[in-house]
Amino acid sequence: MEVSRIRALRGPNLWSRHTSIEAVVSCTDQECKIDSIDGFEARLRERFPEIGLLQLMGHSGSVAMAHVLQVASLALQAQSGCPVTFSRTATTPDSNVFQVVIEYSEEAVGRRALELAEQLCQAAVEDQPFDLAAAIAELKDLDEDVRLGPSTGAIVEAAVARGIPYRRLTEGSLVQFGWGSRQRRIQAAETDRSSAIAEAIAQDKELTKKLLDAAGVPVPAGREVTDVEDAWLAMAEIAGPVVVKPKDGNQGKGVTVNISTREQLNAAYAAASAISEEVLVEKYIPGSDFRLLVVGNQLVAAARREPPLVIGDGSSTVQALVGLVNSDPRRGSGHATSLTKIRIDDIAISCLSAQSLTLDSVPSKGARVILRNNANLSTGGTATDVTDDVHPDLAASAVAAAQMVGLDICGIDAVCDSVIYPLEEQGGGIVEANAAPGLRMHLQPSFGKGRPVGEAIVSSMFAAGDNGRIPLVTVAGTNGKTTTVRLTAHILGCQGLRVGMTNSDGVYIEGKRIDTGDCSGPKSARNVLMHPDVDAAVLETARGGVLREGLAFDRCNVAVVTNIGVGDHLGLSFITTVEDLAVVKRVVVQNVAPDGMAVLNAADPMTVAMAAACPGAVTFFAYDREHPVMATHRAQGHRVVYVENNQIVAAQNQDEQRFELASIPITRNGVIGFQVENAMAAIAAAWALNVDWKTIQTGVSTFVNDAETAPGRFNVFEYRGANVIADYGHNPDAILALVSAVENIPAKKRMVVISGAGDRRDVDIMRQSEIVGDAFDEVILYQDQCQRGRADGEVLQLLQKGLLNAKRATKIDEIHGEFLAIDTALARLAEGDLCLILIDQVDEALAHIAQRVKEG
């Protein structure tokens, strides 16, 4: 078995809406029937008993090794605690080659699970050992390392529940919610509104205390000290037990409480100074440690924190009791679990010593043995939810403290006997304000009920009903995608929106190109959705990106499919038929929002069939209003767009809006049929977004189809009295549409300059030259700069074959080089002639033509 071409499908894809790993798996003849491998399944089950059923999975015939790989990959992740359920093995035209698809929750875990599953299969074949426990432990550790922590994860889950899209921007906890100009960002429990100044204030505990004191919030007396002697003086000034802590520490590191002797002070100062050069000595406030979580102007959760401790049983040592507590499955070594293991270190030993105990001591039954004086969960403490008990005045003090520091999300640490009374009444005080507070204790408290703090944070970022989304239009199809994208974007721009656009020419923000090349894939789409200056997105979605990585978004408002026709790029990535291609193009329709719209070409049967897969509504467009699909759709009260009396008509029930073709420049008074179809699709897309009709009219009438605004899309030049048309048409359907368009333009002599893309099938390349051979008087062939896997001259030979039975072409030439071919054609033109140039290097070729036109 050979596993190759492993892809991460990071969005909705050909197989499902799940993020998945896709691999191409080649099996030998024997591996295509695992029951022919003596003892294989028995050995497999010995190594992985939980793998599940193979022969009873609905397979009536033999099971291939690829299916085993599929089941094992998913089962390994499931056994590791990953929430995955989907997997699939698909056949290909090669009976020994399969596509295996496995859902993942974390990409790195999914990839590793596939590798381990392959090792498992190999071990079962060769009767070699396989360490299942080690494999699952590795996947668990990897999952814990790469997945979002509990705080960030809770906020993400809350956002997803509200339909807010998210994107993880780093391997850490930096996450974007929403798209474009409506996006917000968080890092753990900090938002993009959490200022660096407020965070710096919170880290400076002495400054925090001064500000809170000025705001009338109770705080403990104390000051910053310069050395251990100064700490002793400060303790004398306070005249009572003290707390020693680093000035800018976090997670309770270096904090020692209830110090009453010089010896304790020396040890505490050493611990604090190891964390920070600046140390604080403050009055010790007796009572319990409470964490109060403030979000915006509200207290949303509160917990009483207990320090790490064990309870004596009269027979076990402290060391053994700690081991027993740490065996709780809720306790881990990091922040991924609800509790953290108790650490045995110098601080714990010192704390035991203060209680006249050692690790080998045997506490009496019921005795509480404290292992640390601070109560942070990160050092092994526990938490009890007390949210419902907080006195309104105490809550107001916490909110005032957070606002004085300037934090929109703040963890307030208070020490008092109980939260049911105001701080002043019980001599309590606020000892710290924390930026990026941990949420574990509120989400999964050791005792009491969890609080929806993730939801509270999301609600503070997005108002009720706001999902952070911008209008999103995606355009798929065989031909017409780029022009439809550009025209739709132009209409939305006329509405005053800042539009982000991707197409096969580049990425555009407000009409300015910020990236070049073919940008019709998911990477470019994600970049647009991440851009803060984008109010609406119009994205060309090519088949290659869908196959390679899936969609860049979870759902769209409008999905346009221009056509399927006879297809393009057939024979690549196991897409061998027009039906296969339609399934790929259909992905955008399947992921229309429930309140969204699919805009489909009613004259294309493959496109019409996609309507059944749309979760939202459907608008059909076609020239003929009497087309059965159009007539039926309109009779049912749905939207249609068609052509009548030299007008594009958008209709639903009895309501109609009309657009004169003469006022839509790209159609050249309706002469260019494929541009009329593109205009209909764009009008329907804008209509689906509720753009007003006046704006749509302005948009279609002001969109100019020149080389500057729509490069390579029927760009017309005048050269010495002849018409020169440059277009990037590169498949039979596109060539047919172009021929139909130029036949409506009068000409004395018709000439075409054409090449062929090497990654098309032989039949497709030959078909292109067959079409032009029947429509043009002269044909100039040239070879593309990039042959895309073809040998030198191979494409030209195929083009020549297509011209063998040409009905019209009487002169055929081969020219080496695109620009030389263009110059050769221009030199032959006379007044009244027409030349169609099918360009390859779009920008360079258009610039070359423009220069020749300028020179005259």
Side-chain angles (χ1 to χ4, degrees):
M1 180 173 63
E2 179 184 350
V3 180
S4 62
R5 209 196 70 182
I6 299 172
R7 291 172 166 171
L9 306 176
R10 301 182 177 97
N13 52 73
L14 181 64
W15 312 105
S16 73
R17 288 186 170 89
H18 301 293
T19 54
S20 301
I21 298 296
E22 178 194 271
V24 174
V25 180
S26 302
C27 298
T28 64
D29 290 340
Q30 186 181 35
E31 288 170 340
C32 286
K33 300 178 180 180
I34 62 168
D35 52 3
S36 68
I37 305 175
D38 188 41
F40 170 77
E41 187 163 350
R43 293 192 297 272
L44 180 71
R45 294 187 184 283
E46 286 176 7
R47 288 155 180 78
F48 192 5
E50 299 85 359
I51 192 170
L53 300 175
L54 294 177
Q55 296 288 7
L56 301 181
M57 286 172 56
H59 296 283
S60 56
S62 296
V63 174
M65 190 70 74
H67 289 93
V68 180
L69 183 71
Q70 166 207 333
V71 175
S73 299
L74 192 73
L76 283 170
Q77 290 186 83
Q79 290 294 313
S80 303
C82 300
V84 292
T85 57
F86 172 81
S87 64
R88 177 177 174 179
T89 297
T91 57
T92 72
D94 186 334
S95 60
N96 287 60
V97 178
F98 304 84
Q99 288 176 281
V100 173
V101 185
I102 312 106
E103 181 186 358
Y104 69 79
S105 54
E106 296 295 337
E107 182 179 327
V109 178
R111 287 181 180 274
R112 184 56 181 155
L114 181 67
E115 293 172 357
L116 290 169
E118 185 180 4
Q119 293 174 19
L120 169 67
C121 293
Q122 195 66 30
V125 169
E126 299 175 357
D127 199 10
Q128 295 295 317
F130 179 80
D131 193 336
L132 178 64
I136 291 176
E138 179 187 349
L139 291 175
K140 281 184 176 179
D141 290 344
L142 180 58
D143 181 59
E144 183 173 328
D145 286 343
V146 299
R147 76 170 183 253
L148 291 170
S151 296
T152 314
I155 302 170
V156 168
E157 288 174 10
V160 170
R162 277 189 47 176
I164 299 170
Y166 80 95
R167 177 184 175 189
R168 196 169 174 178
L169 299 178
T170 66
E171 293 182 359
S173 55
L174 182 61
V175 177
Q176 173 182 315
F177 293 126
W179 295 329
S181 59
R182 297 179 66 183
Q183 68 179 274
R184 296 291 305 277
R185 292 177 181 174
I186 65 164
Q187 183 152 347
E190 283 186 305
T191 77
D192 46 19
R193 304 278 170 84
S194 302
S195 75
I197 292 176
E199 184 178 344
I201 290 172
Q203 220 166 4
D204 188 332
K205 302 187 188 309
E206 179 68 8
L207 176 58
T208 298
K209 191 168 68 172
K210 288 179 180 178
L211 291 175
L212 299 190
D213 186 49
V217 176
V219 294
R223 63 179 176 84
E224 184 179 345
V225 298
T226 57
D227 54 31
V228 71
E229 293 300 325
D230 193 26
W232 177 247
L233 288 175
M235 184 173 173
E237 294 165 4
I238 292 170
V242 297
V243 176
V244 176
K245 58 186 178 182
K247 185 178 178 181
D248 58 355
N250 57 65
Q251 297 183 344
K253 296 173 184 175
V255 178
T256 311
V257 303
N258 199 13
I259 299 164
S260 57
T261 68
R262 178 63 187 261
E263 182 180 8
Q264 291 173 340
L265 179 71
N266 291 345
Y269 185 87
S273 60
I275 302 298
S276 170
E277 294 180 357
E278 299 167 307
V279 176
L280 298 178
V281 175
E282 294 178 346
K283 179 183 178 180
Y284 170 68
I285 301 175
S288 297
D289 186 314
F290 295 92
R291 166 59 66 85
L292 311 170
L293 181 65
V294 175
V295 177
N297 60 359
Q298 290 186 316
L299 176 77
V300 299
R304 183 180 68 249
R305 301 186 294 182
E306 295 284 351
L309 57 85
V310 294
I311 307 296
D313 61 6
S315 61
S316 303
T317 65
V318 172
Q319 182 92 51
L321 291 168
V322 170
L324 183 63
V325 170
N326 284 344
S327 66
D328 186 336
R330 295 178 299 168
R331 290 188 182 268
S333 56
H335 291 83
T337 50
S338 59
L339 294 171
T340 302
K341 291 181 183 291
I342 298 174
R343 294 199 301 269
I344 299 296
D345 55 15
D346 291 343
I347 295 176
I349 293 171
S350 175
C351 193
L352 287 172
S353 178
Q355 301 167 77
S356 301
L357 296 171
T358 68
L359 290 172
D360 296 324
S361 299
V362 179
S364 59
K365 190 171 184 178
R368 286 166 54 94
V369 179
I370 308 297
L371 276 301
R372 236 177 186 81
N373 283 321
N374 70 71
N376 288 67
L377 263 66
S378 58
T379 57
T382 58
T384 300
D385 179 73
V386 295
T387 305
D388 295 333
D389 301 329
V390 179
H391 191 281
D393 288 350
L394 196 156
S397 294
V399 172
Q403 292 182 338
M404 191 65 180
V405 173
L407 289 170
D408 58 335
I409 302 175
C410 185
I412 297 294
D413 290 340
V415 178
C416 55
D417 290 328
S418 172
V419 293
I420 65 176
Y421 305 110
L423 289 174
E424 294 85 350
E425 285 187 16
Q426 53 185 319
I430 291 178
V431 296
E432 284 188 23
N434 299 275
L439 305 181
R440 276 196 304 168
M441 71 187 77
H442 307 301
L443 296 164
Q444 297 175 303
S446 312
F447 309 98
K449 61 183 178 181
R451 299 290 170 170
V453 293
E455 287 86 338
I457 291 172
V458 170
S459 293
S460 74
M461 300 170 68
F462 295 93
D466 182 4
N467 59 17
R469 296 174 184 267
I470 59 175
L472 193 161
V473 179
T474 182
V475 181
T478 298
N479 294 304
K481 299 187 295 294
T482 300
T483 299
T484 303
V485 162
R486 286 182 174 276
L487 179 52
T488 304
H490 180 74
I491 294 170
L492 295 179
C494 292
Q495 194 182 23
L497 298 175
R498 297 172 296 175
V499 182
M501 173 178 67
T502 66
N503 57 42
S504 54
D505 302 325
V507 176
Y508 296 78
I509 306 296
E510 292 190 85
K512 180 180 179 181
R513 185 156 64 174
I514 65 170
D515 196 5
T516 59
D518 187 345
C519 296
S520 57
K523 178 182 177 181
S524 299
R526 283 194 295 268
N527 289 343
V528 165
L529 296 176
M530 188 169 61
H531 201 289
D533 296 332
V534 172
D535 301 323
V538 186
L539 310 173
E540 181 174 333
T541 304
R543 48 158 289 289
V546 175
L547 292 171
R548 188 173 58 252
E549 200 175 334
L551 299 179
F553 46 84
D554 60 339
R555 63 177 187 259
C556 58
N557 300 97
V558 183
V560 179
V561 182
T562 57
N563 49 55
I564 299 297
V566 298
D568 195 11
H569 298 279
L570 297 179
L572 301 175
S573 298
F574 305 113
I575 305 302
T576 57
T577 67
V578 177
E579 289 77 11
D580 293 339
L581 182 63
V583 172
V584 179
K585 304 287 187 182
R586 190 180 65 196
V587 171
V588 296
V589 176
Q590 292 171 322
N591 291 282
V592 168
D595 60 350
M597 182 77 69
V599 175
L600 305 176
N601 188 338
D604 188 295
M606 292 289 182
T607 305
V608 171
M610 297 179 188
C614 181
V618 173
T619 298
F620 279 119
F621 70 92
Y623 261 90
D624 183 8
R625 62 173 292 180
E626 301 302 329
H627 188 288
V629 171
M630 296 282 286
T632 302
H633 201 61
R634 186 174 187 182
Q636 293 172 341
H638 303 306
R639 296 179 178 185
V640 292
V641 181
Y642 56 89
V643 176
E644 183 180 68
N645 299 326
N646 293 317
Q647 296 172 322
I648 290 178
V649 184
Q652 184 175 24
N653 295 319
Q654 303 307 311
D655 297 328
E656 293 183 351
Q657 293 293 329
R658 293 177 175 266
F659 304 85
E660 295 287 343
L661 287 172
S663 67
I664 305 177
I666 65 167
T667 71
R668 295 177 70 90
N669 292 316
V671 168
I672 308 176
F674 65 86
Q675 295 289 40
V676 174
E677 292 182 340
N678 294 336
M680 287 193 287
I683 288 170
W687 184 13
L689 293 177
N690 297 315
V691 178
D692 66 86
W693 294 112
K694 184 177 180 181
T695 300
I696 296 176
Q697 178 67 67
T698 300
V700 296
S701 64
T702 58
F703 180 73
V704 180
N705 192 53
D706 60 18
E708 193 69 32
T709 57
R713 270 68 194 178
F714 210 83
N715 305 139
V716 181
F717 301 85
E718 192 277 328
Y719 181 74
R720 296 179 181 175
N723 282 314
V724 176
I725 300 163
D727 196 279
Y728 185 57
H730 51 277
N731 58 60
D733 275 332
I735 304 300
L736 281 170
L738 287 167
V739 167
S740 176
V742 299
E743 282 179 344
N744 291 317
I745 302 174
K748 294 178 180 177
K749 178 179 69 178
R750 298 179 183 275
M751 185 185 308
V752 65
V753 178
I754 185 172
S755 183
D759 59 356
R760 269 55 170 188
R761 299 176 304 176
D762 291 1
V763 64
D764 295 326
I765 296 173
M766 289 188 290
R767 178 60 184 144
Q768 291 181 59
S769 54
E770 284 177 7
I771 295 168
V772 299
D774 293 343
F776 291 87
D777 302 302
E778 296 184 17
V779 180
I780 296 177
L781 307 176
Y782 72 93
Q783 183 169 282
D784 277 0
Q785 184 182 43
C786 176
Q787 289 303 287
R788 308 187 193 189
R790 296 278 188 173
D792 186 52
E794 185 179 354
V795 169
L796 291 175
Q797 291 176 10
L798 291 170
L799 291 170
Q800 288 281 15
K801 285 184 180 179
L803 290 166
L804 287 176
N805 298 310
K807 297 177 181 177
R808 180 167 179 174
T810 57
K811 184 175 177 59
I812 301 169
D813 294 298
E814 283 189 18
I815 303 293
H816 293 284
E818 180 175 5
F819 301 147
L820 182 57
I822 292 171
D823 289 343
T824 302
L826 294 179
R828 295 180 183 177
L829 287 176
E831 185 176 350
D833 289 347
L834 181 147
C835 180
L836 173 63
I837 303 176
L838 297 166
I839 55 180
D840 173 38
Q841 303 173 71
V842 176
D843 290 340
E844 296 85 348
L846 289 173
H848 185 83
I849 294 170
Q851 181 62 34
R852 291 291 179 265
V853 169
K854 182 179 179 181
E855 294 170 353

